[in-house]
Amino acid sequence: MPTALPLPLEFRLPDSWRPAPPDSVGAPGVAFVAVHAESDAGFTANISIDGEYRPDDALLADLADASVQRMQEVAESVRVTDRSEVGSADAPGLAQTMAFSALTGDSRRDLLQSQVYLSMLDTGDPRKRAVIRLTLTATALQHASVAEDFRELVRSVRPETGAAS
């Protein structure tokens, strides 16, 4: 069953992506999944969005480290290939990319996963901090061709205001 985000978001999904029910694509526990229109050697690139309220002062780097540790439990040869701070002091973020090998279906594949962690204050209660994680997973060969779509989606993410546009 999909999980609700800690606060409602607005974002724009690039044209070559289609929403998919999280449970039907093996992503229970995330709030949103989109799949790319073109597969690479039987693997379909996907974007997922999840998040949670963080009552603690956990650093985004600590959350990213924990994500790497979880990946090491289910994949082989996990290594962080890039990590950088993004955003601003008012809206901090962290981006990282991991390379790993994993069994998908009946095949072992070399995959890349780009993650962006965004720290947002709840507009209804600014004492509440939510951390939103956006994730792109693609084959090593397809990643470069879908990475700009992912960056475009990340740039469009905003807390939902409820105002009609």
Side-chain angles (χ1 to χ4, degrees), residues 8-59:
L9 297 178
E10 297 175 356
F11 57 87
R12 191 182 90 56
L13 190 61
D15 292 337
S16 55
W17 296 84
R18 299 290 173 256
D23 289 337
S24 74
V25 294
V30 301
F32 177 82
V33 173
V35 294
H36 195 263
E38 296 179 23
S39 295
D40 177 34
F43 183 86
T44 303
N46 59 81
I47 293 172
S48 64
I49 303 174
D50 64 343
E52 62 184 340
Y53 277 113
R54 294 299 304 211
D56 58 15
D57 291 330
L59 300 175

Side-chain angles (χ1 to χ4, degrees), residues 104-126:
T104 61
D106 294 333
S107 301
R108 182 154 304 284
R109 301 185 194 285
D110 291 328
L111 301 173
L112 290 175
Q113 185 174 91
S114 294
Q115 300 175 329
V116 175
Y117 291 84
L118 301 174
S119 182
M120 297 180 164
L121 295 179
D122 186 322
T123 55
D125 183 353

Side-chain angles (χ1 to χ4, degrees), residues 17 114 136 138 142-153:
W17 296 84
S114 294
L136 165 68
Q142 190 179 27
H143 189 269
S145 68
V146 296
E148 183 54 36
D149 285 349
F150 182 61
R151 287 188 288 272
E152 182 181 318
L153 180 137

Side-chain angles (χ1 to χ4, degrees), residues 127-138:
R127 295 170 297 177
K128 292 183 179 179
R129 175 184 148 211
V131 175
I132 306 300
R133 180 177 61 173
L134 300 100
T135 304
L136 165 68
T137 307

